[in-house]
């Protein structure tokens, strides 16, 4: 497999970099830790490493050094499609290289070969309670397939070493990732379309086949490709990525690790943001019963903020500009759904909200993030079931987290095990109690 051969070459180089940093510069300080960071969820604390993506406050997300615009321009596309192959994005995340048409085709062919889901998975899904959440069903499906893990089997047979662990992890990743959109589409049709399933189309790619199995016409296939690329990775500190990494750091296989990440994404402060933004727009449109003027929308924003509420999808923990992922979806919407009333609200809010938030003065970043617009476009194509949105997020994020844990094993990163302190110890530190030094 050419992908594996390329990774072998790159891994040797990257291992040398890691070893040199540890051996020659292991005592170099990266930054000082404050009590606020210890108590405040480690926000902004530089304690993780990944080359897969980096979030620049003023440029937005970079995938292997490439901006969103560069990725969408440079990656190969299916014939006649607007958006690149998701398989090309996976290749970029995994290797750091923009793939050739031939390299992408190898991944496409491999994914088609690997994407058949075992029948026992469907039987498990069919047997679950009708009220089960879609993301719970996806996590169960992934965990159910853990018995397929090549990594787990090799570990049980004492075949795994620190040097070859990545090869078994890669094999699991290549077996697992292509199945995720297949399972997701099945769950959607099971829960919302009376279990009227649509068989896969063997001629279609990762994103195209997902749209086909969902039963949604073009250009939903291109929006799926776009969305899966845009949300494919977001550094390593977000809950879903960090959870996947944390579990994998104990040498759990890809199935256990991804299922944990799916569960992590379920929280309303992480995977639930899309539905909150869509709900806000729907309620606004229902209340006004029309597309408001700029002045009316501006007053509504002020009323929202003055009542102590927030404008969903605006602001970001790191970004200090409009999220490029929002812009990419906005351009898609302008082309394909300009007359959609909810989309018109999104566009108008973009003209109004930043100025209101700036004058309000409490938002560090008055610009929209990708969550503000995603739900509106999904709803336009009929995917308006709030609880399914985390599953769409899971499909996308799987590409990044599975790439990351492959590289974690390749570079020999150890089990994650930070140290805890007590509140009394922190209070003693503030009081400059010399006995506290014994504990730190």
């Amino acid at each position: 497999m050419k992908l594996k051969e390329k990774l072998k070459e790159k891994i040797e180089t990257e291992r040398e970099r890691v070893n040199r940093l540890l051996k020659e510069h292991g005592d170099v300080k990266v930054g000082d830790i404050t009590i606020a960071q210890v108590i405040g969820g480690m926000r902004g604390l530089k304690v993780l490493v990944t080359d897969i993506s980096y979030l620049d406050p003023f440029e937005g997300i970079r995938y292997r050094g490439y901006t969103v615009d560069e990725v969408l321009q440079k990656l190969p596309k299916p014939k006649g499609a607007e958006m690149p192959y998701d398989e090309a994005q996976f290749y970029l995340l995994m290797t750091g290289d923009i793939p050739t048409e031939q390299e992408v085709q190898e991944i496409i062919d491999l994914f088609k070969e690997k994407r058949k889901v075992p029948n026992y998975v469907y039987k498990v899904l069919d047997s679950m309670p009708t009220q089960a959440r879609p993301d719970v069903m996806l996590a169960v499906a992934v965990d159910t397939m853990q018995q397929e893990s090549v990594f787990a089997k090799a570990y049980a047979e004492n075949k795994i070493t620190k040097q070859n662990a990545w090869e078994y992890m890669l094999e699991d990743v290549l077996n697992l990732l292509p199945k995720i959109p297949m399972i997701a589409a099945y769950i959607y049709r099971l829960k919302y379309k009376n279990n009227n399933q649509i068989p896969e189309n063997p001629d279609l790619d990762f994103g195209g086949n997902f749209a086909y199995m969902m039963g949604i016409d073009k250009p939903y296939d291109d929006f799926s490709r776009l969305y899966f690329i845009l949300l494919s990775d977001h550094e390593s500190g977000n809950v879903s990525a960090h959870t996947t990494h944390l579990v994998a750091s104990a040498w759990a296989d890809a199935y256990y690790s991804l299922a944990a990440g799916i569960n992590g994404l379920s929280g309303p402060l992480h995977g639930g943001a899309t539905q909150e933004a869509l709900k806000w727009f729907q309620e606004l449109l229902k209340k006004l019963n029309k597309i408001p003027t700029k002045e009316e929308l501006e007053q509504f924003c002020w009323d929202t903020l003055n009542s102590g509420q927030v404008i969903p999808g605006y602001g970001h923990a790191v970004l200090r500009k409009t999220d490029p992922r929002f812009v990419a979806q906005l351009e898609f919407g302008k082309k394909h759904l300009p007359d959609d009333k909810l989309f018109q609200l999104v566009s108008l809010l973009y003209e109004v909200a930043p100025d209101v938030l700036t004058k309000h003065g409490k938002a560090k970043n008055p610009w929209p993030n990708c969550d503000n617009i995603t739900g509106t476009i999904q709803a336009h194509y009929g995917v308006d079931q709030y609880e399914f949105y985390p599953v769409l997020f899971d499909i996308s994020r799987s590409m990044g987290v599975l790439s990351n844990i492959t590289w974690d094993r390749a570079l020999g990163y150890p089990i994650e095990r930070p140290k805890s302190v007590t509140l009394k110890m922190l209070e003693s530190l503030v009081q400059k109690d010399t006995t506290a030094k014994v504990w730190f």
Side-chain angles (χ1 to χ4, degrees), residues 37 39 99 174 245 250 267 271 286 299 340 389 409 425 437:
Q37 289 172 316
I39 296 177
L174 295 176
H245 156 80
K286 183 178 180 181
Q299 185 58 52
D340 184 289
Y389 290 163
R409 295 286 70 77
M425 290 159 64
K437 294 180 180 179

Side-chain angles (χ1 to χ4, degrees), residues 305-325:
L305 295 172
N306 289 335
S307 68
Q309 298 176 308
V310 299
I311 300 175
Y314 273 76
H316 195 277
V318 178
L319 277 174
R320 294 299 176 260
K321 63 166 285 185
T322 299
D323 190 337
R325 300 171 303 170

